[in-house]
Amino acid sequence: MIRVEGLRVRAGNFLLGEIDLEVKSGEIHVLLGPTGSGKSTLLEAVIGLRTPEAGRILLEGHDLTRVPVEKRGLGYLPQDLALFPHLSVRENILYGLKIRKRPCDGFVSELCRILDISHFLERRVTSLSGGERQRVALARALAPGFRHLLLDEPFSALHQGLRRELWDLLSELRHRYGLTVLLVTHDLKEAFFLGDTVSVIFEGRLEASGPPERLYRKPPSLRMARFFGLRNLFPGRITGEGRVEVPSLGTVLRVTSTPSFRSKIYVGIHPEDVLVVRDKYLRPDQENLLSARLVNLRSEGPQVRVVFKGEGGGLLEVILPDLARSKLDLSPGRRLRLSLPPERIFLLEGKE
């Protein structure tokens, strides 16, 4: 387990903190946030590249705050990989063992086999592709036998197909060797694919931590919902218990809860949760029905993103399987019925 308690770190004019964070043993914990939010600063403090102004860093209960980098027992993979260009693949992988005066054992050979790099151990790293360099860097970080791995956006320079391949590989390594991983990214797909726990950082402050599905489904703040790319956010007004008026959609919606907010509220729903309902399939108990006009449609491979305009002029995004394009006759200008399931609607306080 890695625990961060009340950590405050200054990097030039930027201040991170105070941060409290717990990375459970055996999990992949993702630090997510926009560029410049402080994710890498936090990771660098944990590995020992930055000295905190306050707070503690604990590894399995042992205080590492003033321990030198080389004695922390943490594997580290920076964004630029930091491979030595004048060394071969084998020499890069064994570098950590050499400086720690440890022998090369069967674990390193097994690691190279799993990472599929055994056949080019004698090549220079300058001759490798991007994906090959990533695998070599992973091998070097794990070769000393570390079971705690810190990764700083290691896959950001790779194309989507290769990134997905390396995500699978990292997951396999985590399960095979019982790794505890702290990973920095600004990529939502990467965070939600890999993370058992996701911690979101904005402007040097920890906004929220939790399972990725929970944070995505019910973002705790308007700022986080927008960072997740959600456009279906509409000003609303609570008109009674379980009722919210949404002028831009020209309707009053039933919701499952109406919390007390001091400022104005926003009503949110994810585009994949909005239902397009054909008249012949309307149920008597169908809730939160509204009529909207289709104004835009964009194909995204296996799915289609459709934009509807509500009675009050608000734009509502809907994601449907591509098959729905012909089934529903999705053509611009057509008016269709939409249903917003109450259990999928969430309310947010109207402040950033």
Side-chain angles (χ1 to χ4, degrees):
M1 177 189 292
I2 301 171
R3 185 190 293 273
V4 173
E5 298 177 347
L7 195 71
R8 187 171 71 244
V9 183
R10 190 175 298 277
N13 294 325
F14 179 80
L15 180 64
L16 174 77
E18 279 80 14
I19 300 291
D20 292 296
L21 189 74
E22 181 177 284
V23 183
K24 296 182 177 67
S25 295
E27 80 166 352
I28 296 181
H29 192 121
V30 176
L31 297 176
L32 178 66
T35 300
S37 60
K39 309 181 299 297
S40 294
T41 301
L42 175 55
L43 199 75
E44 290 167 359
V46 174
I47 194 64
L49 298 177
R50 292 189 183 274
T51 303
E53 288 187 347
R56 297 197 304 164
I57 300 160
L58 304 172
L59 177 64
E60 305 299 344
H62 301 289
D63 192 340
L64 298 183
T65 313
R66 304 302 171 190
V67 174
V69 176
E70 66 275 10
K71 294 183 179 180
R72 295 199 175 196
L74 298 170
Y76 177 53
L77 189 56
Q79 188 170 357
D80 63 1
L81 306 183
L83 294 171
F84 300 115
H86 62 288
L87 299 181
S88 68
V89 169
R90 185 189 301 276
E91 290 168 331
N92 265 279
I93 293 170
L94 298 181
Y95 181 80
L97 293 172
K98 181 179 178 181
I99 63 173
R100 291 172 177 83
K101 298 180 180 179
R102 295 181 185 175
C104 179
D105 54 19
F107 169 67
V108 175
S109 298
E110 180 185 75
L111 193 59
C112 291
R113 177 182 58 79
I114 293 169
L115 290 167
D116 194 25
I117 60 176
S118 301
H119 57 290
F120 54 75
L121 291 174
E122 305 311 322
R123 288 169 58 184
R124 290 289 181 96
V125 294
T126 51
S127 70
L128 303 180
S129 67
E132 289 169 340
R133 287 195 296 271
Q134 296 285 345
R135 292 168 185 265
V136 171
L138 268 174
R140 187 180 67 175
L142 293 172
F146 298 139
R147 292 297 180 263
H148 298 82
L149 183 61
L150 277 57
L151 307 173
D152 191 358
E153 303 206 44
F155 312 126
S156 60
L158 304 176
H159 64 75
Q160 186 62 42
L162 187 52
R163 287 164 67 192
R164 175 61 186 266
E165 181 182 323
L166 288 167
W167 296 350
D168 288 331
L169 187 56
L170 179 60
S171 294
E172 180 186 346
L173 291 170
R174 181 271 291 262
H175 290 297
R176 179 181 289 265
Y177 298 119
L179 302 179
T180 300
V181 180
L182 182 59
L183 181 144
V184 163
T185 186
H186 63 268
D187 185 291
L188 295 175
K189 288 184 179 179
E190 184 167 288
F192 294 151
F193 183 92
L194 288 171
D196 300 299
T197 302
V198 172
S199 292
V200 183
I201 297 180
F202 289 121
E203 299 175 353
R205 298 291 183 270
L206 184 62
E207 183 91 355
S209 287
E213 177 69 11
R214 190 186 77 198
L215 293 180
Y216 176 76
R217 282 287 155 208
K218 300 285 175 120
S221 69
L222 185 61
R223 176 164 61 174
M224 190 177 297
R226 286 177 172 158
F227 175 67
F228 287 166
L230 184 61
R231 294 186 176 183
N232 291 342
L233 295 166
F234 309 101
R237 182 175 66 87
I238 295 173
T239 58
E241 184 62 32
R243 296 285 173 181
V244 179
E245 182 184 12
V246 186
S248 59
L249 297 181
T251 189
V252 175
L253 299 173
R254 188 179 80 80
V255 295
T256 55
S257 64
T258 47
S260 298
F261 291 138
R262 294 182 179 180
S263 57
K264 65 180 181 179
I265 68 164
Y266 278 77
V267 178
I269 187 168
H270 290 285
E272 64 270 23
D273 292 333
V274 181
L275 305 177
V276 179
V277 186
R278 297 166 73 178
D279 288 343
K280 66 179 180 179
Y281 294 123
L282 275 175
R283 301 193 315 268
D285 62 344
Q286 196 99 38
E287 295 190 274
N288 294 342
L289 281 171
L290 58 96
S291 176
R293 181 170 57 85
L294 196 158
V295 295
N296 193 17
L297 180 147
R298 183 172 68 250
S299 177
E300 297 180 350
Q303 65 187 28
V304 59
R305 188 177 297 267
V306 190
V307 179
F308 292 91
K309 179 174 283 191
E311 295 288 354
L315 298 179
L316 183 68
E317 277 194 346
V318 182
I319 290 179
L320 300 168
D322 189 63
L323 183 64
R325 186 199 296 258
S326 57
K327 294 286 186 181
L328 294 171
D329 185 21
L330 297 176
S331 52
R334 190 174 179 215
R335 188 166 289 276
L336 294 167
R337 287 182 182 271
L338 307 179
S339 175
L340 281 59
E343 68 277 8
R344 292 297 191 178
I345 296 172
F346 53 87
L347 302 183
L348 298 170
E349 194 166 7
K351 63 179 183 180
E352 296 293 341

